[in-house]
């Protein structure tokens, strides 16, 4: 994050502030005071800072020897400076000259400034440099054309609001941004407009909500090893609503027998929340008193898409149960994979496939197989079997694959894994089920309250996606590192 960015033009007789719409980020300055503590140095006024920076860069009074600036023991090998101000030495200030212009910004340092941390540990320096170089790339081609230069400077305000709306650079490729944002205002016109609403929307109101749940799973098909699985979700919102601070209330609902949501983390735009909702933790066993909804979130939405909340849940069963057996017989491997879709899961996939890698071996030279459903393909590198099950399981909800595999001589390009050696191997599942959540969580559009003019168009969607969904070979020990992956 940046405290400020500036741009100056140096002429023979004057120093001109070239970008009159330079930005100051009060929220970042508050963070700087918190992080820096007693070592914090406030950013002075524009004119005072310009004077101090030009002095530090030896662009004024360069004929006068100043010990703290000109001593031979202080040789600057970078574009990072310590600028002496009335409030103290302001550091780090990133500044450089390019084609008669001076580009400068003040990055945030998320720690105390004494002793000064190494430059490589200050992430804001690289972010600030990338943003300044993006401005250079946008400005420099027009230096010889005064009219074009003036037009670009006029557009730069809107571009930088997009590139760095709240102090953190989001897109440093300034040339790629759209400059026709006539409705963007640099400062809120309403004092009640929160900092996270960088502009106000004009047009037909609409609200889009998407619940995305991801399921992690480790299955071993062993008596002495317990299978583990975990569901975690995110509720993404995009609210195009007029007004400087529109109030929205959205509720998440569960079916009657749905597992409660736990470990809920809300976005900072949420104005209030039931404390009982936040107390439910997956670290504690469930009991009858656990909060099971509806989960209400009143909030003032940001201008862009954002995640309203995150959560986890303890669902009783994983969506797909599997068994994988790999046995080595001489120069061949015999493999068996059985998969069963649980009857409570919606049997409608966008995609569903099982990938079976073979580590520390040569390319697959011979493959004989039989699948009860779907299609089996061999990867181009001949080290991976891809079993495409398709968009539906059969009526039995069970599919199987059996086969024998033999290998050629191993080469450098084939996959290796120090953990998965010998018969220690796995099948990894990839799937997406649209319009479905494992918890049953959904948004009731009739429960949404919007205190703003007009009746908004509401769109809701859900999806379940696999994430690190492993089925280990039950004929070999699963490595301990994977057993604790979900802890």
């Amino acid at each position: 994050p940046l405290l400020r960015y500036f741009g100056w033009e140096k002429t023979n007789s004057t120093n001109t502030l070239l970008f009159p719409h330079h930005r100051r980020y009060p929220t970042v300055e508050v963070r700087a005071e918190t992080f820096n503590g007693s070592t914090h140095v406030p950013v002075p006024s524009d004119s005072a800072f310009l004077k101090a920076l030009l002095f530090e860069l030896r662009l004024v009074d360069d004929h006068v020897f100043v010990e703290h600036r000109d001593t031979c023991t202080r040789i600057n090998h970078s574009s990072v400076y310590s600028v002496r101000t009335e409030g103290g030495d302001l550091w780090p200030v990133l500044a450089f000259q390019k084609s008669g212009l001076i580009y400068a910004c003040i990055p945030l340092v998320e720690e105390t400034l004494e002793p000064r941390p190494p430059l490589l540990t200050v992430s804001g320096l690289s972010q600030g440099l990338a943003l300044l170089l993006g401005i250079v790339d946008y400005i420099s081609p027009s230096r010889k054309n005064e009219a074009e230069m003036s037009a670009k400077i006029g557009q730069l305000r809107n571009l930088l609001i997009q590139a760095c709306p709240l102090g953190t650079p989001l897109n440093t490729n300034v040339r790629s941004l759209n400059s026709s944002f006539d409705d963007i205002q640099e400062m809120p016109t309403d004092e009640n407009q929160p900092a996270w609403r960088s502009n106000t929307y004009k047009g037909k109101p609409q609200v889009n909500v998407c619940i995305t749940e991801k399921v992690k799973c480790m299955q071993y098909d062993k008596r002495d090893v317990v299978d583990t699985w975990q569901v975690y979700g995110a509720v993404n919102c995009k609210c195009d609503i007029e007004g400087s601070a529109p109030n929205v209330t959205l509720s998440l609902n569960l079916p009657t027998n749905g597992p409660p949501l736990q470990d809920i983390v809300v976005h900072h735009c949420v104005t209030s929340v039931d404390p009982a909702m936040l107390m439910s933790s997956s670290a504690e066993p469930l009991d009858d008193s656990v909060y099971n909804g509806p989960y209400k979130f009143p909030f003032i939405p940001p201008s862009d898409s954002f995640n309203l909340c995150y959560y986890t849940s303890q669902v009783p069963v994983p969506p797909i149960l599997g068994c994988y057996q790999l046995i080595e017989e001489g120069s061949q491997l015999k493999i068996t994979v059985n998969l069963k879709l649980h009857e409570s899961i919606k049997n409608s996939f966008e995609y569903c496939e099982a990938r079976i890698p073979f580590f520390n071996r040569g390319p697959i030279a011979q493959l004989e197989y039989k699948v009860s459903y779907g299609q089996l393909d061999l990867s181009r590198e001949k080290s991976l079997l891809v079993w495409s099950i398709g968009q539906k399981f059969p009526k039995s909800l069970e599919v199987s694959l059996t086969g024998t595999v033999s290998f050629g001589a191993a080469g450098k390009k084939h996959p290796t894994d120090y953990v998965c050696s010998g018969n220690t191997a796995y099948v990894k599942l990839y799937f997406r089920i649209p319009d479905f959540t494992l918890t049953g969580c959904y948004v009731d559009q009739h429960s949404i309250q919007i205190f703003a003019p007009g009746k908004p168009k509401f769109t809701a969607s859900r999806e379940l996606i696999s994430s690190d969904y492993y089925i280990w070979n039950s004929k070999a020990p699963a490595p301990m590192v994977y057993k604790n992956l979900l802890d």
Side-chain angles (χ1 to χ4, degrees), residues 8-29:
W8 287 281
E9 182 173 29
K10 168 71 174 174
T11 65
N12 292 332
S13 58
T14 61
N15 300 294
T16 304
L17 183 63
L18 184 61
F19 305 158
H21 297 288
H22 60 285
R23 297 294 300 276
R24 184 168 191 147
Y25 300 100
T27 54
V28 183
E29 293 193 51

Side-chain angles (χ1 to χ4, degrees), residues 68-138:
H68 82 271
R69 181 191 70 176
D70 301 320
T71 176
C72 61
T73 60
R74 187 185 175 202
I75 301 176
N76 202 2
H77 297 286
S78 69
S79 297
V80 180
Y81 298 89
S82 176
V83 176
R84 181 157 295 185
T85 67
E86 290 186 0
D89 290 347
L90 188 62
W91 182 93
V93 176
L94 179 61
F96 58 86
Q97 299 181 65
K98 180 72 173 178
S99 302
L101 298 179
I102 302 169
Y103 300 84
C105 69
I106 308 174
L108 173 67
V109 180
E110 299 181 348
E111 56 185 301
T112 58
L113 299 176
E114 294 180 5
R116 288 181 182 174
L119 294 181
L120 290 176
T121 65
V122 183
S123 60
L125 283 172
S126 58
Q127 296 175 3
L129 179 60
L131 180 62
L132 293 181
L133 292 177
I135 298 174
V136 171
D137 185 54
Y138 172 74

